[in-house]
Every structure is written in C-alpha cells, then in structure tokens.
C-alpha cells in the first residue's frame, strides 16, 4: 500500500545523497502528496559562483513548455473559439507546408498529439519582437513534413509554435502574455516566466557540461517559447499539475480549465512506437501517457541549456513529482529518485531503464538496411564488419554543423527495436525503433522522430 505521508527530512537526505552520487550540480524536487506541495533543493546553481539551490530557484524546463501551451489551447476550446478538428488554416490562413493537401487538412488536435507530420528540428530565429511567432510560422511553410498527416506519431516542436500562434490570434495577446494572464496569474505561479530577462529577479540555475558551467545560459530564440521555454520552480510545476489533477480548478477555487478539457488532454490519442523516451507509450493532447502495469500516469520531460526537467503524475494516487536539474548524470538521478518516490507514494512501479538484453535475439537486418530521412537529418543503417547492425545519425541541410554525426552499434532488443550506445537524453542507451507508416512506408524512430525510408 502507498504511504500517504511525505517525510520531507528523509527525502531531503535521499535527494542530497543521489544528487552527489550522480554528480548533478543542483536539483530541486517538488512532490504533490496528501494534497500539499512539498519543495526540496540540493546543491549549487552555478559551480563557478557557488550559489546554493533553494526550493524557489528557477530552471529552464525545455519541452515541458508544451504542456502549458496545450493547456492554453484547451482554454480556447472551452471558450468555443477553437475547434480541435477543424483545419488550422481556418484560424491561420498563412499556415503552410510544402504539401498542399497536408496544409488544407492538418488540425490542432494533430499538432497537440504529434500526429500532424510536422518536424521537430526547425530552429528558426525570427527575432525578439512580439511578431516572432508570426514570422516563424511564415518561415516554416517551406519545411518538409516528417510524414503525411495522420499516418504516424512523430514528435514535432514546429507544431507547438503554430499552436502558440493560434493562441495569439484568438486572444489578441502574445503567447508570453497569454501564459502570464491565463495560467500563471490565476494559479498563483509567482516563480514561472517565459523570457530570460524575467528570470534575473530570481535565483536562476546555470546548465553544466561535464563539471563546468555551460558557455551560454540559453541559446533558444524567443520563438521557441511555445515548445521549449518556460522558466520555472519545481513547486510551480507541481501546482500547475495539481490544477490538472483537480479537474481544472486552481487552489483558490478559480476554474482555469473545464473538467472535460482536463480529461481530453489525458485521453490517449496515439500509441508511441518508442515506449521508452519520456516514459511515454502513448500521447494525449499535450501530455505524455504511460501505463505501468495497470497504473496510469501522465507527464512530460524537457531539456534546454544543459538543464533537464521531469514531471510524472499518477492521478489515482493524487501524486505528482517534479525534478529540475542543471547537468551531471540527470537521467540516473531521475530514474533512482522517481522509482523510489512513486513506489512509496503511488504504488507505481517504473520500468527499468532502456538497455539491451543479456542475450540479444537473432534479427534479419536485410529489410532494415538503408537511408531514412526527415527535415535536417539522415539516419543510415548498415552492417558492421561482424555482420551486426550499425547506425549513423547526422544533421544535414540547414542543421549541418550543429553537432557532429553520431555513430554506434545497434544491439537487437526485438525484431524492430534496437539499443544504440550513443547518448540522447542522458540515457546510456537510446532506443532505435523500426515501424511502418499508415501508408505502408517503412520508417525509423530516433528520439521519437519518424524518418521515412528513402533508399
């Protein structure tokens, strides 16, 4: 049976122990249990200055921003201003893709659930002005789709900028202001913001690469906001999650979101072929979804500027756990800490970290060999000298040069799932998953992005 009482002193000691063991400079932890948010902190925000982390310190939370943007979108659905199943071009006539049919049919529901086919890695800097999302959407019109809309799940940040622009058009506010007025203020989130200059008021974490502070605090353009930039304390993320657990009602009784919208966000829209990244075997409207031996949960992860965020929510136990970190072996800290916390507080058993089996199965590699391409990347699957499989993952076109190519051997986990020993998301092994789109095209998933086979 789960323990309902949160022992703050014991968990503070455990956070300190695990953070040090995994060489994480700083970590803040917020736990929603027994109806209360408990906040802990450990370590230093910046190894160069030695500033200590405190529970109200703020971190870059990366893609956790998608859950906030999705909540704003669902508020628009509540108000009757947006139909999730109507084409996006009905609200944004300027929205376009290189495929005219896709342009006419892509919906907000598809963008929320990553089934619209739009890509992830379009890092366009459209400036610092209030028109940055409008300019980004205009520039995105020439970016190739990963796959035809509705044929597969493929994680795509570009779609969340489009959703952020929909928010702007329907509210008459910038995405940043809409988030402040429609979520941060009614929820009392005083340590949540979207712009770097706003973070200067608070104790702010610096990302670290190895043992050294990163060269730049935040490299993302302003247009990345809807998919990749909220700056938050762990406690504020837990309070945001609590609103979703409480059927859309803030702590002071204010209704922020309808109960129907809250439920819709947690309803499975699509299964994910990659069931390991973000602990997500499926996707709702903005949320990652998982089923751990019959225990349902939702959440999201994020990464930005060498900082990592994790949110896991177990509705049946009324538990949410948030971890914000700024470097080191954050993935092992997350795995060790959350496995213990969720077992004790929610009777939830997290799966083991992704890794190859001790005795890999024999797999016919022939149909998997070849090149797979999506906007900005090429994935090549070949045989190595011993007859096993090898992967080369490289950035091309507009993304050429942002990182060197990654190569690794592939160890079979099943006939369609392989373990690559290159590091994506801090894990020792990354899943490489082969699947087929609804139109019959073979594809490969790396980091949850679908790349169709081209040769």
């Amino acid at each position: 049976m789960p323990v309902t009482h949160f022992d703050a002193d014991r968990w503070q000691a455990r956070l300190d122990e695990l953070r040090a063991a995994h060489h994480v400079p700083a970590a803040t932890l917020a736990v929603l249990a027994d109806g209360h948010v408990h906040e802990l902190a450990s370590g230093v925000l910046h190894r160069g200055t030695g500033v200590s982390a405190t529970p109200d310190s703020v971190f870059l939370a990366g893609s956790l921003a998608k859950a906030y943007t999705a909540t704003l979108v669902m508020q628009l659905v509540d108000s009757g201003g947006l139909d999730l199943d109507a084409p996006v071009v009905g609200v944004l006539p300027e929205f376009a893709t290189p495929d005219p049919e896709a342009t006419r049919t892509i919906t907000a529901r598809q963008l929320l659930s990553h089934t619209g086919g739009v890509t992830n890695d379009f890092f366009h800097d459209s400036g610092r002005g209030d028109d940055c999302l409008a300019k980004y959407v205009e520039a995105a019109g020439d970016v190739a789709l990963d796959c035809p809309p509705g044929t597969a799940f493929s994680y795509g940040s570009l779609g969340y900028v489009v959703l952020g622009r929909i928010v702007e058009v329907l509210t008459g506010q910038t995405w940043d202001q809409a988030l402040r007025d429609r979520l941060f203020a009614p929820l009392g989130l005083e340590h949540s913001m979207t712009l770097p200059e706003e973070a200067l008021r608070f104790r702010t974490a610096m990302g670290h690469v190895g043992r050294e502070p990163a060269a730049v605090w935040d490299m993302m353009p302003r247009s990345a906001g809807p998919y990749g930039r909220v700056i938050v304390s762990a406690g504020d993320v837990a309070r945001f999650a609590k609103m979703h657990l409480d059927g859309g009602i803030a702590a002071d009784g204010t209704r922020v979101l309808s109960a129907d919208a809250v439920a819709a966000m947690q309803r499975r829209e699509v299964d994910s072929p990659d069931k390991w990244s973000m602990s997500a075997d499926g996707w709702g409207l903005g949320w990652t979804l998982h089923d751990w031996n019959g225990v349902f949960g939702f959440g999201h992860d994020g990464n930005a500027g060498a900082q990592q965020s994790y949110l896991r929510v177990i509705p049946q136990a009324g538990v949410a756990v948030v971890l914000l970190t700024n470097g080191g072996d954050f993935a092992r800290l997350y795995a060790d800490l959350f496995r213990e916390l969720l077992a004790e507080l929610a009777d939830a058993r997290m799966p083991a970290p992704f890794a190859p089996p001790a005795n890999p199965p024999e797999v016919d590699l022939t149909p998997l060999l070849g090149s797979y391409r999506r906007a900005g990347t090429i994935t090549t699957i070949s045989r190595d000298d011993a007859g096993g499989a090898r992967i080369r993952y490289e950035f091309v076109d507009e993304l050429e040069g942002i990182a060197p190519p990654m190569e690794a051997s592939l160890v079979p986990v099943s006939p369609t799932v392989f373990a690559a020993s290159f590091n994506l998301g801090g894990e020792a092994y990354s899943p490489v998953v082969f699947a087929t789109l609804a139109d019959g095209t073979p594809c490969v998933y790396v980091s949850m992005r679908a790349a169709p086979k081209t040769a």
Side-chain angles (χ1 to χ4, degrees), residues 84-89 95-120 140 143-160 162-163 269-271 283-286 437-439 445 448-450 452:
L84 287 182
D85 297 308
V88 167
V89 289
F95 171 70
T97 76
D99 181 339
E101 180 61 22
T103 300
R104 288 192 294 269
T105 61
I106 290 174
T107 67
R109 183 184 299 277
Q110 290 175 326
L111 297 181
L112 285 169
S113 59
H114 300 285
T115 57
V118 298
T119 197
N120 187 78
V143 178
L145 297 167
D146 283 356
C147 51
T151 62
F153 167 85
S154 187
Y155 188 74
S157 290
L158 186 156
Y160 272 76
V162 176
L163 292 167
E269 292 283 331
V270 63
D271 292 335
W283 225 271
L285 298 177
L437 304 180
D439 64 3
Y445 282 87
M448 301 186 298
R449 286 82 151 159

Side-chain angles (χ1 to χ4, degrees), residues 60-65 232 300-304 307-312 322-325:
L60 286 164
S63 287
L64 194 58
V232 291
H300 214 289
D301 295 355
N303 182 279
Q307 301 184 49
Q308 185 80 16
S309 62
Y310 298 94
L311 168 63
R312 298 290 179 267
V322 182
L323 178 68
L324 306 180
T325 67

Side-chain angles (χ1 to χ4, degrees), residues 79-94:
S79 70
L82 180 66
D83 179 350
L84 287 182
D85 297 308
V88 167
V89 289
V91 179
L92 294 182
E94 66 273 28

Side-chain angles (χ1 to χ4, degrees), residues 13 21 27 33 94 121 145 148 175 259 276 302 305 331 350 367 403 435:
E94 66 273 28
D121 304 320
L145 297 167
W175 172 82
W276 301 272
M350 283 176 54

Side-chain angles (χ1 to χ4, degrees), residues 132-203:
C132 64
L133 299 194
K135 287 183 175 180
Y136 180 104
V137 171
E138 179 182 1
D142 296 327
V143 178
L145 297 167
D146 283 356
C147 51
T151 62
F153 167 85
S154 187
Y155 188 74
S157 290
L158 186 156
Y160 272 76
V161 182
V162 176
L163 292 167
R165 180 58 184 153
I166 289 174
V167 169
E168 293 187 331
V169 169
L170 293 182
T171 65
Q173 299 177 292
T174 64
W175 172 82
D176 307 88
Q177 191 63 49
L179 198 54
R180 285 193 289 272
D181 291 352
R182 296 164 181 265
L183 280 181
F184 294 165
L187 292 176
L189 306 183
E190 297 179 354
H191 290 79
S192 297
M193 63 225 70
T194 62
L195 297 173
E197 57 267 29
E198 297 173 309
L200 293 174
R201 297 180 295 146
F202 303 101
R203 297 170 78 94

Side-chain angles (χ1 to χ4, degrees), residues 213-238:
V216 178
W217 178 65
D218 178 12
M219 295 180 63
M220 293 186 295
R222 184 178 174 186
S223 57
Y227 72 76
R229 188 198 284 117
V230 287
I231 306 163
V232 291
S233 69
D236 270 11
V237 178

